[in-house]
Structure formats: C-alpha cells, structure tokens
C-alpha cells in the first residue's frame, strides 16, 4: 500500500514538516514493494521475508532517530506517523528500554484474511526463549563481541546476525 493511500485512509492532513520526511518514506515504500515482489526461488521459506524485516526496521529507525536523537521533527509529525502506521510503535517502545536499543524486529508477519486485506500481528519471537531450538536466546540478543567472527549465524526468524551491542 502506498503512502498516499495510507494518508487517504486516515483522512488527516499531514502536519508541518511532512515534506521533509516524505521522500525518504516513499523511497522505503518503493524498496518494500520491490522486496515483496522479489522472486523467492532457491530461498528457504524463512529467508523470503528477511528483506521486508530489514526495510521495516530501517523505516522505523529513520523516524525514531529524527524524533528522539536529532529532534528534527515535531511530536505531532511523529504521532502522525504512528497513527498512519508508517512506523512500528511497538518496536520503538522496545528501543526506548535499556538493553533493547538495537533490537532488529519483533517478528511481525502478514496474514491474509478471506478478503485479502493485510493484518499485522506482532510476535515477540526474537526476544522469547521458547521460540528457539534449544531454549536459549536468539542470535539477535547475543552481543557481537561474543560472536565468532568467522562463523556466520543468522536468526531464523528475521535474518539478523546479532543486533545486540
């Protein structure tokens, strides 16, 4: 769904400063469409969604950094992005907590109803030990300093190679 469609859906005019972030959000939307239509032959079932997770993370991190780190956008514009579901509010809420500043995803997935409408569900797979093979933390939660540099280990859910500090 394009950003223009999302804006029409919420029936609000964007607040001041929207023209500063709109080109970047449109770019992320184009990348998202490209990632969703990429051929998935030769990939494992879980690998097909990894680019979508990365783009989703980048888009949310972009707005998060503009609001919390650089203070370049207003609270109204930030809230507008949350209300329009342009960014992931639950992921940003985790980023504000100590120890989760670099969390890559909450493992959201798309499930299609009979009407082909998209519903997003948040699943906290990367931070729950019950969803891993051995009942341990996901590779996302292991600090990079503790990982072997020669061995490539990726999260089964999102493709992350270790996002924890």
């Amino acid at each position: 769904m394009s950003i223009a469609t999302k804006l029409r859906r919420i029936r609000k005019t964007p607040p001041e400063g929207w023209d500063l972030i709109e080109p970047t959000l449109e770019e992320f939307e184009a990348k998202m469409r490209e990632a969703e239509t990429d051929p998935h032959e030769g990939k494992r079932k879980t690998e097909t969604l990894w680019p979508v997770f990365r783009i989703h993370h980048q888009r949310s991190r972009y707005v998060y950094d503009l609001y919390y780190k650089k203070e370049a956008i207003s609270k109204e514009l930030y809230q507008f992005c949350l209300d329009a579901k342009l960014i992931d509010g639950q992921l940003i809420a985790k980023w504000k907590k100590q120890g989760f500043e670099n969390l890559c995803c909450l493992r959201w997935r798309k499930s299609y109803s009979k009407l082909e409408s998209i519903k997003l569900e948040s699943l906290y797979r990367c931070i729950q030990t019950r969803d891993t093979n051995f009942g341990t933390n996901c590779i996302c939660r292991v600090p990079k300093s503790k990982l072997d540099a020669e061995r490539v280990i990726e999260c089964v859910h999102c493709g992350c190679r270790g996002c924890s500090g």
Side-chain angles (χ1 to χ4, degrees), residues 21 24-25 28 55-75 77-79 81-82 86-103:
I21 66 169
T24 308
L25 292 178
F28 283 128
I55 295 165
H56 178 74
H57 173 271
Q58 290 171 351
R59 182 177 53 201
S60 295
R61 179 58 81 169
Y62 170 71
V63 176
Y64 172 83
D65 286 342
L66 283 178
Y67 183 65
Y68 287 103
K69 305 284 188 205
K70 298 177 185 175
E71 298 178 0
I73 61 173
S74 65
K75 182 176 175 74
L77 182 56
Y78 174 74
Q79 191 62 44
C81 290
L82 282 174
L86 299 174
I87 57 176
D88 189 348
Q90 292 178 334
L91 181 59
I92 290 174
K94 283 289 182 191
W95 286 340
K96 291 191 262 180
K97 294 181 180 178
Q98 186 178 5
F100 295 96
E101 296 89 357
N102 297 321
L103 185 65

Side-chain angles (χ1 to χ4, degrees), residues 40-54:
H40 57 273
E41 291 83 25
K43 293 182 181 178
R44 292 181 293 174
K45 185 178 178 181
T46 57
E47 284 181 18
T48 57
L49 291 177
W50 291 357
V52 174
F53 287 125
R54 287 188 185 112

Side-chain angles (χ1 to χ4, degrees), residues 3-12 14 18 22 80 84:
I3 290 182
T5 307
K6 289 180 183 181
L7 293 179
R8 271 188 256 120
R9 185 183 65 200
I10 64 168
R11 297 180 183 166
K12 287 184 181 177
W18 172 252
E22 183 181 21
F80 177 79

